[in-house]
Amino acid sequence: MLKKLFLFLLGIIMLSCKTSKNQSIIEENTKPILISDEFKFTEGPAADAEGNVYFTDQPNNRILEWSAETGEISVYMENAGRANGLYFDNEGRLIAAADEKSELWQINIDKKVKVLVDNYQNKRLNGPNDLWVDAKGGIYFTDPYYQRGYWKRQNPDIDKQRVYYLTPDKREVKIVADDLVQPNGIIGSKENAVLYIADIGAGMTYSYRLSKNGNLTDKKLFTEMGSDGMTMDEEGNVYLTGKGVTVFNKKGEKMAHIPVDRNWTSNVTFGGENFDQLFITASDAVYILQMDVKGNN
């Protein structure tokens, strides 16, 4: 009887430890560490296969690279099309939301640029902002309208601010969401076929199911918070940005808030050699935070 009671209690303790471990996402006694604040406005972090993180300094029109091995930052590309959001495709090429001319770029390994999209039905896009690549190589991208000082135009050619899908063969661009106020951040899970889109204009974030043809179905309110940029970890938790970084579990329940010492946190991703470092872009700075979970970039 005592043996059975001991095993029962041991099982409860082990279950409790497991639950605690799963809910722990931030390494104990850590906070974001400032890496550099030598920029004007940072955005769009994306990690390559080695964990190096590329990010944009949009006002300075350049893409920079943070080395996972050395921690040093170097200039990857000048004259970067005023790139905003970045993401690596399934072949390791960097895809950029280049809103100088409202284009979606593919930057090849040799740094040659190929324009993938620059219009929808012969109308100039508003300004591609953020993107995510699915398992088939199709690209979802948000297209809000933010009037830029470097534009000659003063009004959009397309009235609605939408989310588009560029098919894997790169031949078709189709609307997948046109009922949002101002879509901005976007992130998905290839394994679970789910996509999250932040409607920063409405202060909401929604989840969708991915169809085989790239269409979005089963729209659900995920949380009553918008976001500039987004990422996910291996547990399926979703990270939203704005005033620091706020983390939600799969159910849309708030798990944690990570304060960042800047007025605005624009974006976030996982990088580093083990993909367990949260790379944060915030106004004129970039930060690193050691995590207890790995990314699902």
Side-chain angles (χ1 to χ4, degrees):
M1 181 67 181
L2 288 175
K3 184 178 179 180
K4 289 184 179 179
L5 180 60
F6 171 78
L7 291 174
F8 176 74
L9 292 174
L10 180 62
I12 291 176
I13 292 170
M14 291 178 69
L15 179 60
S16 176
C17 290
K18 183 178 179 181
T19 302
S20 176
K21 175 65 177 176
N22 287 343
Q23 290 179 346
S24 173
I25 59 172
I26 304 170
E27 193 168 281
E28 191 174 356
N29 299 322
T30 60
K31 63 179 182 179
I33 298 172
L34 176 67
I35 301 299
S36 177
D37 59 358
E38 300 175 350
F39 315 105
K40 284 193 176 180
F41 189 80
T42 56
E43 248 286 9
D48 66 13
E50 285 74 46
N52 306 304
V53 177
Y54 295 70
F55 64 98
T56 61
D57 183 7
Q58 198 195 40
N60 286 321
N61 197 17
R62 59 183 182 168
I63 299 173
L64 301 110
E65 178 186 356
W66 172 80
S67 169
E69 182 179 0
T70 67
E72 296 179 352
I73 294 174
S74 59
V75 176
Y76 173 74
M77 175 180 284
E78 302 277 9
N79 300 315
R82 300 282 184 170
N84 196 69
L86 304 173
Y87 205 88
F88 280 91
D89 70 11
N90 301 338
E91 284 72 47
R93 299 170 299 204
L94 189 61
I95 310 298
D99 81 353
E100 183 174 23
K101 297 180 180 178
S102 304
E103 298 169 331
L104 198 66
W105 283 11
Q106 174 184 291
I107 305 173
N108 296 322
I109 304 300
D110 58 5
K111 298 185 184 179
K112 289 185 178 179
V113 172
K114 178 180 180 180
V115 177
L116 298 177
V117 183
D118 63 0
N119 73 89
Y120 178 73
Q121 295 184 346
N122 296 318
K123 291 184 178 181
R124 178 178 173 174
L125 294 168
N126 291 325
N129 184 276
D130 206 355
L131 64 145
W132 180 73
V133 180
D134 68 14
K136 297 179 181 179
I139 303 172
Y140 294 90
F141 65 96
T142 58
D143 189 45
Y145 188 85
Y146 296 106
Q147 184 65 48
R148 305 297 192 186
Y150 43 81
W151 286 346
K152 291 183 179 179
R153 64 171 175 170
Q154 297 298 312
N155 295 290
D157 294 353
I158 299 172
D159 291 335
K160 287 194 173 184
Q161 302 182 55
R162 298 165 169 158
V163 181
Y164 295 92
Y165 181 68
L166 176 62
T167 55
D169 60 11
K170 308 299 186 287
R171 294 181 179 178
E172 181 186 2
V173 177
K174 57 183 180 179
I175 300 167
V176 290
D178 65 352
D179 59 349
L180 304 174
V181 177
Q182 194 169 45
N184 197 312
I186 187 169
I187 195 67
S189 170
K190 298 174 183 177
E191 297 83 2
N192 298 322
V194 62
L195 185 71
Y196 297 92
I197 300 173
D199 187 348
I200 199 169
M204 304 286 182
T205 295
Y206 298 95
S207 67
Y208 301 81
R209 303 302 303 177
L210 303 180
S211 299
K212 291 182 179 180
N213 61 3
N215 290 340
L216 302 179
T217 63
D218 195 24
K219 177 184 177 182
K220 293 180 179 177
L221 177 64
F222 178 68
T223 185
E224 292 186 355
M225 176 180 170
S227 185
D228 197 341
M230 306 166 68
T231 196
M232 294 179 68
D233 66 27
E234 61 186 346
E235 301 292 339
N237 303 314
V238 182
Y239 296 61
L240 306 186
T241 61
K243 295 295 183 182
V245 181
T246 307
V247 188
F248 297 85
N249 64 19
K250 294 177 182 179
K251 297 179 181 179
E253 299 166 339
K254 182 178 175 180
M255 294 180 63
H257 180 261
I258 303 167
V260 179
D261 189 23
R262 287 296 187 274
N263 290 331
W264 187 254
T265 300
S266 62
N267 215 325
V268 65
T269 196
F270 281 85
E273 293 179 342
N274 297 314
F275 291 91
D276 60 354
Q277 292 179 296
L278 196 64
F279 191 95
I280 304 167
T281 55
S283 300
D284 62 347
V286 291
Y287 293 81
I288 288 287
L289 176 62
Q290 185 62 48
M291 304 293 288
D292 263 348
V293 289
K294 296 182 179 181
N296 185 29
N297 299 342

